[in-house]
Amino acid sequence: MAATAPESVRTGVLGVPVNVSPDVFQAALALHAGGGGQIVTLNAEMTMAARLDPELGSAIAAADLVIPDGAGVVWALGLQGYRVRRSPGIELARELLVHAASKGWRVALVGASPAVMERLTTRLGQELPGLKFVLTAHGYQREEAWPGLEQQLVGARPDLVLVALGIPRQETWIQRLPGRRGGIWMGVGGSFDVWAGVKKRAPSWMGALQIEWLYRLIQEPSRWRRMLALPEFAWAVLRQQ
């Protein structure tokens, strides 16, 4: 019979590391208290991508906390005897923003389009008036602008950095950022679009049924090729049993 892990342990799914933790929010706070590091939110699609992309695989392996974001990863962990809850990255990131506002953390946001970033900072400022932004930058910077932005970001010594540059870029960019130290650094995918009100998150009932992927596909039909990774993931996991 599967048992809830008493403390965070590092295991793997298809050779890609993932942490089993009873409380990912507390694990993130412990990471911050211990000197900071990178958080990766792992789902089936990213797992399959990491097996084909050595740079992404290395970034995930080097991350300090890898949480089971997708239902497929939770299912695969269950087959190993771990009873864990799915931990959506968008929810963890929001919890961290609320905590940051209450504790006076220095926050940086990087990614999304210029319009989304403008809407996002306005909305977050209204919803969480205690937030202290030390840097906000959209993800459509000119190539020559990135080194200066990175230097400014590292120099700001943020407590929390949320990066919405898409997978795998956000994970690999964080991992190789020169001079990165302290704070929590986390890729958040399309969370900025949702928080800015540009896109909607799947209804809670779809989350409960673990079919949020279907909602995303309906919103973005062009994702259908990427969704082929889901049956490939399931078959690969079953073959290992």
Side-chain angles (χ1 to χ4, degrees):
M1 185 176 186
T4 302
E7 58 183 17
S8 182
V9 297
R10 189 88 153 184
T11 182
V13 171
L14 297 180
V16 180
V18 61
N19 291 83
V20 175
S21 175
D23 190 325
V24 295
F25 176 62
Q26 291 301 323
L29 294 186
L31 179 62
H32 180 271
Q38 181 177 4
I39 297 177
V40 167
T41 60
L42 187 69
N43 59 20
E45 185 181 334
M46 185 190 289
T47 301
M48 299 306 287
R51 301 179 81 199
L52 299 174
D53 183 344
E55 189 177 12
L56 175 59
S58 295
I60 297 173
D64 302 274
L65 180 62
V66 183
I67 68 172
D69 174 276
V73 173
V74 170
W75 167 73
L77 289 172
L79 294 179
Q80 296 180 34
Y82 295 107
R83 181 183 298 146
V84 296
R85 290 186 308 157
R86 177 171 169 258
S87 302
I90 189 171
E91 294 179 7
L92 174 59
R94 186 71 183 201
E95 278 191 278
L96 289 171
L97 282 173
V98 172
H99 185 81
S102 68
K103 298 297 182 181
W105 278 11
R106 298 161 64 84
V107 176
L109 307 175
V110 179
S113 69
V116 166
M117 180 57 71
E118 183 177 355
R119 288 172 59 108
L120 175 66
T121 52
T122 298
R123 279 199 169 199
L124 288 180
Q126 294 170 345
E127 295 168 1
L128 301 170
L131 273 182
K132 181 180 181 182
F133 293 121
V134 293
L135 184 144
T136 60
H138 64 78
Y140 289 78
Q141 307 287 331
R142 299 186 311 276
E143 191 66 31
E144 60 270 21
W146 281 100
L149 187 153
E150 293 168 356
Q151 186 176 15
Q152 182 183 356
L153 175 59
V154 171
R157 299 185 65 85
D159 292 287
L160 176 64
V161 183
L162 302 181
V163 183
L165 296 175
I167 300 168
R169 185 184 174 195
Q170 60 193 20
E171 285 75 27
T172 57
W173 181 76
I174 291 172
Q175 198 273 328
R176 65 171 183 261
L177 190 64
R180 176 173 62 86
R181 61 191 182 281
I184 295 172
W185 300 68
M186 179 179 175
V188 295
S191 299
F192 287 3
D193 292 333
V194 174
W195 294 337
V198 174
K199 291 183 180 178
K200 291 185 178 180
R201 191 179 174 195
S204 58
W205 66 268
M206 296 189 81
L209 292 175
Q210 300 184 349
I211 55 172
E212 283 185 318
W213 60 269
L214 178 59
Y215 188 81
R216 291 195 297 270
L217 182 59
I218 293 171
Q219 284 191 315
E220 302 176 63
S222 60
R223 294 175 61 97
W224 73 269
R225 289 185 184 277
R226 295 166 59 182
M227 291 299 165
L228 295 177
L230 301 182
E232 292 174 359
F233 171 86
W235 177 237
V237 170
L238 290 173
R239 285 172 59 191
Q240 283 197 347
Q241 297 306 301

